[in-house]
Amino acid sequence: MSRIAVIDFETTGISPGMGDRATEVAIVITEHGRVVDRYQSLMNAGVRIPGFITQLTGITNEMIATAPPAHTVMGEAARFVGDVPMVAHNASFDRRFWAAELERAGAPATQPFACTVLLSRRLYPEAPSHKLGSLVDFFRLPRTGQAHRALADAEMAAELLGRIQHDLRTRHGVDAPDHAFLMALQRCTRAALPRFIQTHTQRADVAALSTRAA
């Protein structure tokens, strides 16, 4: 599968286990490194947004009051994603909220998550920071809107994902840096990275030769 869903949440805090809830979700679908579809919505989870979160995101309690219920938004988001594998910047955060909000909505969260933070740490140790905005500036990628709003952050993470896949193809010889490869790569230590990529490309070459021979 060549499609990948890049997701970003804005929330009332850092942990759904401590009662924090999502206030906005955005998902962009990429295919062969290009955005082909988008979903974004504020959501009303029935909780107040702390003042410091409003200062960070610009999302107010008044905005949330007129937003659709969280379970409605999450149902739409789940149908939008389907079984497409997912990517997020700092995926452990977004994966927790994805699972928690879908559980409240009565829907399963089965999609695997790859993380552009982990991938950038493996591939770009020279980067001054692995925060999303810093990496966007480091690679001179386009800023697509206000930081700390879900759609802008999801689109910037998608741009970063595209850069990662491009560099894997052009700098490391990985013909098909698909989601499964990214999942394996993020589990690899930095020291083991050259050997990991070499092994992968050798296997790909053998498979290509076998296909041609058949």
Side-chain angles (χ1 to χ4, degrees):
M1 178 181 291
S2 60
R3 287 195 164 204
I4 294 175
V6 184
I7 189 168
D8 186 80
F9 279 104
E10 300 304 330
T11 68
T12 62
I14 63 171
S15 174
M18 299 177 63
D20 294 317
R21 299 294 304 275
T23 58
E24 185 179 36
V25 63
I27 304 159
V28 297
I29 303 292
T30 70
E31 189 167 14
H32 303 300
R34 300 178 65 181
V35 174
V36 296
D37 208 352
R38 295 170 174 82
Y39 175 86
Q40 178 274 335
S41 183
L42 293 168
M43 65 178 83
N44 187 345
V47 297
R48 287 192 60 79
I49 302 173
F52 74 94
I53 294 292
T54 293
Q55 290 179 349
L56 179 68
T57 66
I59 300 172
T60 67
N61 286 295
E62 290 74 20
M63 293 164 63
I64 293 302
T66 57
H71 66 87
T72 299
V73 173
M74 291 305 300
E76 292 175 351
R79 288 189 292 273
F80 179 77
V81 171
D83 60 356
V84 175
M86 304 187 80
V87 164
H89 199 73
N90 190 18
S92 62
F93 173 88
D94 293 282
R95 184 178 63 242
R96 287 196 301 270
F97 278 95
W98 178 249
E101 293 292 348
L102 281 180
E103 182 178 10
R104 288 175 178 270
T110 58
Q111 299 84 356
F113 270 76
C115 178
T116 48
V117 171
L118 296 178
L119 293 168
S120 68
R121 285 175 178 166
R122 302 296 181 271
L123 295 172
Y124 312 118
E126 73 278 11
S129 168
H130 296 281
K131 293 181 180 179
L132 180 58
S134 296
L135 288 166
V136 165
D137 291 342
F138 182 69
F139 290 117
R140 298 180 181 177
L141 301 173
R143 284 187 172 267
T144 52
Q146 177 186 340
H148 302 297
R149 287 300 302 265
L151 185 57
D153 285 354
E155 290 187 330
M156 286 190 288
E159 291 281 354
L160 176 59
L161 173 63
R163 174 60 187 255
I164 288 169
Q165 291 177 307
H166 174 269
D167 286 349
L168 284 168
R169 286 190 294 265
T170 60
R171 292 171 53 181
H172 300 284
V174 179
D175 288 338
D178 59 9
H179 193 273
F181 178 83
L182 299 177
M183 291 283 291
L185 177 61
Q186 72 185 16
R187 292 191 291 266
C188 180
T189 65
R190 191 179 300 162
L193 184 65
R195 179 62 178 167
F196 170 81
I197 291 178
Q198 181 184 35
T199 300
H200 176 85
T201 53
Q202 287 173 344
R203 288 174 180 170
D205 289 343
V206 169
L209 287 171
S210 299
T211 300
R212 285 197 290 269

